[in-house]
Amino acid sequence: CERRAVTVIDVPALDISRECPKCGTLGENTSNLFVTCPGCGHTEDQDINAAIILLRRGKTAARKAAPKTLESW
């Protein structure tokens, strides 16, 4: 990664498929393809939900690591 000037950020993956991207409530573990938030009722595909949460956590971690270079995010 250093040869191509790519920054790798470690993002915690705990509860990514259970956390609601709308309100942050943690739902129950489920084997269903879709997950529904018990807090706000938002329904999302588990894989899409996990991608949204990982992106959000990655952006937060990146801002903390280098706040001046990521202001345009």
Side-chain angles (χ1 to χ4, degrees), residues 39-60:
C40 70
H42 175 73
T43 300
E44 190 68 77
D45 177 282
Q46 281 191 359
D47 292 337
I48 293 172
N49 186 67
I52 292 168
I53 298 301
L54 280 174
L55 178 62
R56 185 175 296 150
R57 290 180 184 182
K59 284 183 174 183
T60 299

Side-chain angles (χ1 to χ4, degrees), residues 11-30 35 37-38 45-57:
V11 179
L14 182 64
D15 296 326
I16 58 169
S17 62
R18 294 180 34 204
E19 183 178 333
C20 177
K22 298 292 182 186
C23 73
T25 300
L26 290 181
E28 298 294 320
N29 283 330
T30 179
V35 61
C37 176
D45 177 282
Q46 281 191 359
D47 292 337
I48 293 172
N49 186 67
I52 292 168
I53 298 301
L54 280 174
L55 178 62
R56 185 175 296 150
R57 290 180 184 182

